[in-house]
């Protein structure tokens, strides 16, 4: 075997043909990632800069539940990303083996429709399970703190976090299907909009609190975040429906 020299570790690999394959994903993936984290950064900023120690302490308890349970729904996202492309690969294999193009498209459309249905159903089950667990937060919050004010703040936030979790499975499943279908332009544009919209409404809460507004606490922050989740859920479902209709229209000339 050829001995590896230190200078070779500093050289840029010459894999231009491989890099070209990933070039189309750079902008969509980057904007999607940035759009995801902007809301969390804005939330942390608002809570730490506008609210008092009670709400900051309550936020740590809420985030503990959020970060423990919500990522479980990401398994649907990853599974869909792995599973959905295989549907199109199988369709292509069928065409190469002599299956008529229209028949292959019809089969792919039906399989895709069934796949979306099953993933959304699985997402609903995930969401209900997560919401049931999170709904128990008022019962166990006393194990995290003895401060009645902190417990009260956590309890006020629980309904919003429960609703967020109830939709998490459907949101993750829908997003995974869209990624599997390589609908990157739609996702990147959506998350680019979220990059501006979500922090805007969160920062409005900060401005209101600093201007002396009363009755604005941690629950208001999670209310905004839950509305964001509801909108995402609606957008993904509508987009999936739109793609399903588009697949059905591809079959019309054969009817």
């Amino acid at each position: 075997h050829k001995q590896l020299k230190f200078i070779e570790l500093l050289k840029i690999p010459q894999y231009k043909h491989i890099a070209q394959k990933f070039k189309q994903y750079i902008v969509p993936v980057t904007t999607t990632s940035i759009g995801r984290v902007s809301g969390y950064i804005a939330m942390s900023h608002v809570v730490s800069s506008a609210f008092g120690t009670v709400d900051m302490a309550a936020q740590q308890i809420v985030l503990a539940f959020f970060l423990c349970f919500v990522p479980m729904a990401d398994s649907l996202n990853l599974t869909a990303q792995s599973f959905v492309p295989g549907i199109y690969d199988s369709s292509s294999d069928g065409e190469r083996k002599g299956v008529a193009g229209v028949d292959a498209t019809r089969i792919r459309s039906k399989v895709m429709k069934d796949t979306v249905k099953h993933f959304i159903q699985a997402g609903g089950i995930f969401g209900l399970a997560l919401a049931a667990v999170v709904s128990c937060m008022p019962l166990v919050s006393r194990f995290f703190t003895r401060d009645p004010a902190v417990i009260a703040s956590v309890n006020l936030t629980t309904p919003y976090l429960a609703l967020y979790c109830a939709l998490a499975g459907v949101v993750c499943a829908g997003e995974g299907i869209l990624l599997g279908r390589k609908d990157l332009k739609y996702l990147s544009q959506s998350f680019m909009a979220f990059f501006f919209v979500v922090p805007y409404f969160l920062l409005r809460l900060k401005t209101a609190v600093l201007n002396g507004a009363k009755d604005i606490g941690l629950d208001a922050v999670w209310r905004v975040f839950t509305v964001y989740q509801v909108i995402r859920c609606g957008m993904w479902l509508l987009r999936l429906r739109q793609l399903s209709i588009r697949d059905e229209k591809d079959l019309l000339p054969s009817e």
Side-chain angles (χ1 to χ4, degrees):
H1 296 285
K2 181 181 177 182
Q3 185 176 4
L4 180 65
K5 297 180 180 180
F6 177 76
I7 190 64
E8 294 179 353
L9 296 175
L10 305 178
K11 292 181 179 179
I12 299 176
Q14 300 299 317
Y15 299 120
K16 293 183 178 180
H17 62 290
I18 297 178
Q20 288 295 327
K21 295 180 180 180
F22 292 93
K23 185 177 180 180
Q24 59 178 321
Y25 301 111
I26 294 177
V27 174
V29 171
T30 302
T31 54
T32 299
S33 300
I34 294 175
R36 281 174 176 272
V37 301
S38 65
Y40 299 109
I41 294 174
M43 173 191 284
S44 298
H45 169 72
V46 171
V47 173
S48 61
S49 62
F51 297 132
T53 56
V54 170
D55 284 326
M56 290 180 63
Q59 174 74 344
Q60 299 307 308
I61 299 174
V62 174
L63 281 179
F65 279 82
F66 179 85
L67 296 176
C68 281
F69 297 109
V70 171
M72 293 181 181
D74 280 333
S75 59
L76 291 171
N77 192 326
L78 299 175
T79 303
Q81 291 182 53
S82 303
F83 191 81
V84 171
I87 297 174
Y88 293 91
D89 293 340
S90 299
S91 177
S92 299
D93 291 341
E95 292 179 4
R96 287 194 293 268
K97 292 178 181 178
V99 179
V102 174
D103 291 337
T105 301
R106 181 180 288 108
I107 294 172
R108 184 185 66 188
S109 178
K110 183 180 185 306
V111 172
M112 192 67 233
K113 183 182 294 185
D114 291 340
T115 300
V116 171
K117 178 182 176 181
H118 294 153
F119 267 106
I120 297 303
Q121 289 175 341
I125 295 173
F126 263 76
L128 291 176
L130 292 177
V133 173
V134 171
S135 296
C136 297
M137 199 160 57
L139 301 177
V140 299
S141 58
R142 60 189 178 88
F143 295 108
F144 293 86
T145 179
R146 295 181 179 180
D147 191 327
V150 175
I151 294 176
S153 182
V154 171
N155 293 347
L156 287 175
T157 307
T158 299
Y160 300 108
L161 183 59
L163 179 56
Y164 186 100
C165 290
L167 300 176
V170 175
V171 169
C172 289
E175 186 174 318
I177 295 171
L178 292 176
L179 286 169
R181 294 195 60 157
K182 295 183 174 62
D183 197 7
L184 300 178
K185 183 178 180 181
Y186 178 80
L187 286 171
S188 62
Q189 290 176 345
S190 299
F191 278 106
M192 183 56 66
F194 295 147
F195 174 81
F196 295 102
V197 174
V198 177
Y200 168 76
F201 283 102
L202 289 172
L203 291 174
R204 285 188 61 183
L205 292 177
K206 174 185 175 180
T207 302
V209 172
L210 296 180
N211 287 336
K214 304 296 183 181
D215 299 327
I216 296 181
L218 184 62
D219 59 309
V221 173
W222 282 94
R223 187 186 307 125
V224 172
F225 224 63
T226 301
V227 171
Y228 161 57
Q229 180 81 325
V230 172
I231 292 174
R232 270 202 306 172
C233 183
M235 289 178 62
W236 296 171
L237 291 177
L238 287 174
R239 181 59 175 176
L240 289 173
R241 179 56 182 165
Q242 184 181 23
L243 293 175
S244 177
I245 294 174
R246 183 184 301 175
D247 290 341
E248 292 174 357
K249 285 184 177 180
D250 291 339
L251 301 174
L252 289 180
S254 64
E255 297 297 336

